[in-house]
Amino acid sequence: MIFPLVARRLCVLLITAAAVLAPAHAAMAHPFGPPSTARVGADGNRVTLAWLPAEDDWVALGRSVGAFEDPAAGADTSLTGEQKLARSAAVRTYLLARVGVTQAGRPCAAELAPLERLLAEGARFSFECPERVVDVDVRVGALTDLHEAYRTMLTAETPAEPAKALLTAEADTRKLRFDPSAAGGVPLVVPAVALVAVLGVLAALLLRRRRHSDVRA
């Protein structure tokens, strides 16, 4: 347990140092590294999505929207880079503008959770769609406006087709088809089986009562 704690503290220190010391062109420093990841799932008429870029990509995003002070003017060292990102209204506005879900051409209402643990948990979204989720279009266009080489690997956490998709600057949206029975829906066969079982119990009770009455007669 000690090593993960040390690693997390090191990540926080690195993002703080990068935010303070990185030059102005840092926003385009690492578009060729491993792609960001996005985990998506569906439950009923709700889609959840967690977008997790690398630490240096968070720095690039923060610098591009002005979440960090100009190093030449002096930086506030009382907050970590992670905290500055979490408190930035510009970061939230950027994320809500670049990540979205639509259903039959209609946008699903988006909600972005607080970003206090963005290094560990990423940006966590929830989308309320008009209907139960089966076919939806998922868009993740964050960072691609900074450099066209940025990519995001989209992975479905509940059964969907496709289960994985690579989103790029040229194709930042992918249609997913979720399994209705695994997306919060209740298969019609379940209530039908339950109804048959109840009717069977009632029939057995009535038959037993009739036999008991015949014996007494």
Side-chain angles (χ1 to χ4, degrees), residues 4-29:
L5 178 61
V6 172
R8 173 170 170 74
R9 288 178 176 173
L10 179 59
C11 287
V12 172
L13 290 174
L14 287 174
I15 196 172
T16 302
V20 174
L21 301 176
H25 63 271
M28 297 176 62

Side-chain angles (χ1 to χ4, degrees), residues 3-190:
F3 179 75
L5 178 61
V6 172
R8 173 170 170 74
R9 288 178 176 173
L10 179 59
C11 287
V12 172
L13 290 174
L14 287 174
I15 196 172
T16 302
V20 174
L21 301 176
H25 63 271
M28 297 176 62
H30 297 282
F32 300 102
S36 302
T37 62
R39 301 191 303 263
V40 62
D43 184 10
N45 66 333
R46 183 180 297 271
V47 175
T48 57
L49 185 148
W51 179 63
L52 296 96
E55 290 86 351
D56 54 357
D57 293 334
W58 273 120
V59 173
L61 189 160
R63 289 191 65 85
S64 73
V65 300
F68 308 124
E69 305 89 344
D70 183 355
D76 180 5
T77 58
S78 65
L79 297 175
T80 67
E82 184 179 37
Q83 290 171 328
K84 292 176 183 179
L85 288 166
R87 298 185 183 190
S88 171
V91 170
R92 295 184 64 85
T93 298
Y94 175 91
L95 291 171
L96 287 168
R98 306 292 299 184
V99 180
V101 174
T102 58
Q103 183 183 62
R106 294 179 293 175
C108 300
E111 181 178 346
L112 177 59
L115 300 173
E116 280 83 359
R117 292 176 50 81
L118 59 84
L119 290 181
E121 300 176 358
R124 293 169 291 123
F125 297 84
S126 177
F127 300 93
E128 195 79 17
C129 297
E131 307 292 340
R132 186 163 62 91
V133 174
V134 179
D135 293 308
V136 291
D137 292 304
V138 179
R139 174 179 181 249
V140 181
L143 297 177
T144 57
D145 58 319
L146 307 185
H147 196 289
E148 63 181 10
Y150 276 113
R151 299 151 297 151
T152 295
M153 177 59 72
L154 184 67
T155 302
E157 292 193 309
T158 52
E161 179 60 38
K164 291 182 179 292
L166 184 66
L167 304 181
T168 66
E170 294 78 14
D172 64 2
T173 303
R174 186 62 185 262
K175 181 179 291 294
L176 296 183
R177 181 175 181 82
F178 287 94
D179 182 352
S181 64
V186 178
L188 293 178
V189 68
V190 174

Side-chain angles (χ1 to χ4, degrees), residues 193-211:
V193 171
L195 179 60
V196 170
V198 171
L199 291 176
V201 171
L202 290 176
L205 290 175
L206 290 174
L207 181 60
R208 182 179 299 177
R209 180 174 296 180
R210 175 174 296 180
R211 287 177 177 175

